Amino acid sequence: MQALKFPLCVAHFAGLSISTLQKSPLKKTMYSLLSVILLLLIACSEDETNALTVDKKDIEFSVDGGNVNIIIQTDAKAWSIDNPASDWLTITPPSGNLPTTTVNLKVTTRTLTPRAVTLIVSAGNADPVQVEVTQPSSDFLYTITADAAAFEFKHIGETKSLKIATDAPQWTISSDADWLQFSKTTGIKGTTTINVTALESTPDPARTATISISGTDAGAVQIPVTQVASVYPTYNTSPIAPDATGMDSDVVQLASKMHLGWNIGNTLEAIGGETAWGNPKITKAFVDAIKNIGFNAIRLPCSWDQNSDATTAKIDQVWLDRVKEVIQYCVDNDMYVLLNIHWDGGWLENNITPEKKDLVNAKQKAFWEQIATHLRDFDEHLMFASANEPNADNESEMAVLYSYHQTFVNAVRATGGRNSYRVLVVQGASALMNTFPTDEIPNRIMYEEHYYTPFQFTLLSEDVSWGNMFYYWGEGNHSTIEPSRNSTWGEEAEAVQYFEGLKTKFVDKGIPVLMGEYLAALRSNTADPDKHIASRDYWLKFITKTALENGVIPFVWDTGGLVNRNTGAITDQRGIDSILEGGN
């Protein structure tokens, strides 16, 4: 319809009708008239006014900015928007040539003072349309967010992660409590994850604190923190200043002073008392006998839970004194001592779960505060081990075990004196042990594992569904009389691979390794006894030798089978000789 409008306009303007033009007999006149019509057509088209509408003319953004769409409609060939506020207001698209267009207005920043701008929308010869855009002022330019609204800490050394996100150029984090520690206290624009650690715990009442995260021209974030009362009283009641006297050796130097170690097993850890499992009390004469045989380190498996109050975890003073007495026997003999918490009813070893984590850490802290305080005056000859054979078989359980080790380290160090420098020992499964506790004193932590491979040869006492006992082990020791009892795995090559793995993963990185237990038991019901005894002797010699060659310090497990507990006399000369030969 629009195409017919212009010719009619022209004809009207010239006082002519279309039919008149068509009947004109004069060709020349027709050409003249057509020229006039063309000029008039142009004139008429220039005089037409374009249409232009905008659906929103007053737009107010929030203090945080945002997005608003407007719709532009016009019959002009093109339209455009003049934007004097391009530094804070983005228009997409700013121009176009479609009859209907949706345009996005976007504000991404805050302002400390109110701001406004008038946008001019133009299209052809249409009257321009004004769009008023405003944004109120804010108290700050940038935002800071945290992924935690509150924290609750339940035990000493507990660590929680905190993710901070901000568009501010820089942020800082602080607390009104000196018992909160941050892995990082400042950062820049973007997302950062830090660790927040509760350094200490109190019995009563629970503590509270506030974490504050702030930045230049940014709104502050506050996170309330609570630290619940400890399950047990605090036993670190007399901490003293660090004392390095007699504590000169770091872990590598101390490890070099130990050669062969001996376990006094089934004694101090016996449930029911020191003699409950058939062994006599440990005497100085017995310790002297072990030293004279050729061992210069003693491992003391020890229980504490049965010798403590179930409600308060307070350890019996008589028991603390007895353990100290045995340690003194060893130190007087220039022997190194490894004291641990050993099985002890399984309160730690069998409870490496998130559900038991807080209770176990509370007991771990209470026990080691007392043990460490009571034995604080011994020099570097005494080492502490946090556990025995913790049942952690996956990454989740290892994370819980790590917290038990961290509690142990923190509790011992907090007592001060020589404990500030004492070498501490942690346990795990080497394949999973990728993290060690944080320690304020560098190079004072060793690693411990036990070796009873293959178990069917070393300790299995009866045939079971998953495998039968092995009686014969190692090259040249397999039996032709009883071949079904020959070892089918865990022989020399696997032993070498295992110890070389410990060397690569730990020893070569400055972390000495203790083989806290190893032993192969003799059996009396074999069809080929000479081969069996030769296998046992060869295993002891080979494992001792291979461990030492890879920087691993071996501690043989004995409960009275190698040396008589009453007399100190050797009862298994071949076994002792095999160990000593492996140690040469």
Side-chain angles (χ1 to χ4, degrees):
M1 295 298 293
Q2 189 69 25
L4 298 176
K5 183 177 181 180
F6 292 113
L8 291 173
C9 171
V10 173
H12 176 74
F13 183 81
L16 301 173
S17 67
I18 294 176
S19 60
T20 301
L21 292 174
Q22 292 172 339
K23 296 176 181 178
S24 176
L26 301 176
K27 186 176 182 180
K28 183 175 181 179
T29 301
M30 184 175 290
Y31 283 132
S32 298
L33 289 173
L34 289 174
S35 297
V36 172
I37 291 170
L38 179 61
L39 293 172
L40 292 175
L41 180 62
I42 295 171
C44 287
S45 65
E46 289 178 349
D47 288 342
E48 283 296 310
T49 301
N50 294 119
L52 173 64
T53 61
V54 181
D55 71 330
K56 297 184 184 72
K57 297 180 182 179
D58 290 292
I59 299 172
E60 181 178 0
F61 283 93
S62 71
V63 293
D64 295 319
N67 291 273
V68 174
N69 289 333
I70 62 174
I71 299 175
I72 298 175
Q73 292 181 308
T74 182
D75 58 4
K77 292 181 179 180
W79 60 266
S80 64
I81 302 176
D82 178 43
N83 177 22
S86 58
D87 58 331
W88 60 272
L89 175 65
T90 302
I91 299 177
T92 307
S95 61
N97 55 16
L98 299 176
T100 301
T101 305
T102 298
V103 178
N104 177 256
L105 309 185
K106 184 177 183 180
V107 176
T108 59
T109 58
R110 296 170 178 261
T111 177
L112 297 179
T113 58
R115 54 191 177 189
V117 66
T118 299
L119 305 179
I120 306 297
V121 184
S122 303
N125 61 4
D127 292 335
V129 176
Q130 293 184 348
V131 178
E132 302 296 332
V133 179
T134 59
Q135 184 185 21
S137 63
S138 174
D139 294 332
F140 47 85
L141 292 178
Y142 307 107
T143 59
I144 298 176
T145 61
D147 68 342
F151 278 147
E152 181 183 74
F153 291 95
K154 296 181 178 180
H155 59 80
I156 185 171
E158 184 177 7
T159 296
K160 296 181 179 293
S161 65
L162 177 65
K163 183 181 292 183
I164 301 169
T166 183
D167 56 354
Q170 187 175 31
W171 58 264
T172 60
I173 187 169
S174 61
S175 170
D176 57 1
D178 58 5
W179 48 272
L180 286 177
Q181 182 183 69
F182 305 104
S183 61
K184 189 175 184 179
T185 57
T186 62
I188 59 175
K189 178 180 178 180
T191 301
T192 306
T193 299
I194 68 170
N195 290 327
V196 183
T197 302
L199 296 179
E200 59 184 61
S201 183
T202 55
D204 189 30
R207 290 186 176 188
T208 60
T210 301
I211 293 174
S212 297
I213 311 170
S214 60
T216 304
D217 292 330
V221 173
Q222 292 191 325
I223 302 173
V225 180
T226 58
Q227 185 180 40
V228 300
S230 296
V231 177
Y232 306 111
T234 294
Y235 289 103
N236 185 26
T237 57
S238 58
I240 61 177
D243 181 4
T245 306
M247 310 298 290
D248 299 329
S249 302
D250 63 20
V251 285
V252 175
Q253 294 166 334
L254 192 67
S256 68
K257 297 179 182 180
M258 291 182 280
H259 185 56
L260 293 176
W262 185 277
N263 276 274
I264 306 181
N266 287 10
T267 309
L268 293 181
E269 84 277 27
I271 301 302
E274 187 174 353
T275 62
W277 289 352
N279 280 315
K281 286 190 173 184
I282 301 169
T283 63
K284 186 177 184 306
F286 178 76
V287 173
D288 292 344
I290 299 302
K291 175 66 179 292
N292 292 334
I293 290 172
F295 296 83
N296 77 331
I298 293 289
R299 182 171 180 261
L300 289 177
C302 194
S303 68
W304 304 93
D305 195 48
Q306 67 170 332
N307 296 294
S308 68
D309 183 277
T311 302
T312 64
K314 182 175 178 58
I315 301 171
D316 182 70
Q317 187 67 33
V318 173
W319 183 246
L320 285 167
D321 289 340
R322 171 58 182 158
V323 174
K324 185 175 183 178
E325 181 180 39
V326 174
I327 294 171
Q328 194 69 57
Y329 296 158
C330 304
V331 174
D332 287 347
N333 224 332
D334 193 27
M335 301 180 80
Y336 296 89
V337 184
L338 179 61
L339 177 71
N340 72 1
I341 289 180
H342 192 99
W343 188 64
D344 210 10
W347 64 266
L348 185 152
E349 295 177 14
N350 295 336
N351 290 296
I352 305 177
T353 65
E355 295 76 18
K356 296 292 186 178
K357 178 179 176 181
D358 294 332
L359 288 174
V360 171
N361 268 305
K363 184 173 288 189
Q364 178 86 322
K365 174 180 178 289
F367 281 172
W368 280 110
E369 284 179 341
Q370 296 172 79
I371 298 166
T373 297
H374 197 69
L375 305 175
R376 183 165 50 196
D377 294 336
F378 284 107
D379 67 8
E380 68 181 21
H381 281 83
L382 176 62
M383 301 169 287
F384 295 146
S386 64
N388 173 52
E389 292 177 349
N391 293 317
D393 299 320
N394 54 55
E395 294 291 346
S396 175
E397 292 171 346
M398 284 297 294
V400 176
L401 176 60
Y402 172 81
S403 76
Y404 298 166
H405 290 329
Q406 189 66 63
T407 295
F408 158 69
V409 171
N410 292 349
V412 173
R413 295 289 183 240
T415 62
R418 289 173 169 170
N419 287 337
S420 295
Y421 302 93
R422 192 169 307 287
V423 167
L424 305 178
V425 180
V426 297
Q427 307 76 20
S430 59
L432 298 172
M433 194 71 183
N434 299 314
T435 304
F436 280 77
T438 301
D439 192 5
E440 61 191 36
I441 306 297
N443 303 318
R444 300 282 168 152
I445 294 182
M446 289 187 185
Y447 177 63
E448 177 188 350
E449 274 196 14
H450 299 171
Y451 191 81
Y452 291 108
T453 303
F455 188 77
Q456 289 159 267
F457 174 74
T458 59
L459 291 181
L460 188 63
S461 58
E462 61 180 2
D463 294 340
V464 291
S465 60
W466 53 264
N468 295 334
M469 292 183 289
F470 296 156
Y471 298 156
Y472 313 104
W473 186 92
E475 184 179 359
N477 292 317
H478 283 195
S479 173
T480 58
I481 298 173
E482 199 174 14
S484 64
R485 296 296 182 176
N486 291 333
S487 296
T488 59
W489 67 281
E491 295 197 296
E492 293 98 330
E494 291 177 59
V496 170
Q497 183 180 30
Y498 169 80
F499 287 106
E500 287 179 347
L502 292 179
K503 181 178 184 296
T504 299
K505 187 169 185 177
F506 301 109
V507 179
D508 290 347
K509 296 177 182 177
I511 305 172
V513 177
L514 305 181
M515 184 165 62
E517 294 180 18
Y518 75 114
L519 178 70
L522 282 174
R523 297 184 177 90
S524 59
N525 58 339
T526 64
D528 197 347
D530 290 340
K531 285 285 187 180
H532 170 63
I533 296 172
S535 295
R536 194 288 307 259
D537 295 346
Y538 177 56
W539 188 94
L540 287 175
K541 178 180 177 180
F542 186 88
I543 298 304
T544 302
K545 180 176 182 292
T546 305
L548 289 170
E549 287 175 344
N550 287 280
V552 177
I553 305 165
F555 283 71
V556 67
W557 177 258
D558 182 61
T559 60
L562 294 172
V563 175
N564 186 291
R565 285 294 182 83
N566 292 290
T567 65
I570 295 174
T571 55
D572 185 348
Q573 189 66 57
R574 289 184 59 160
I576 293 293
D577 290 343
S578 298
I579 296 169
L580 296 178
E581 288 173 15
N584 288 333

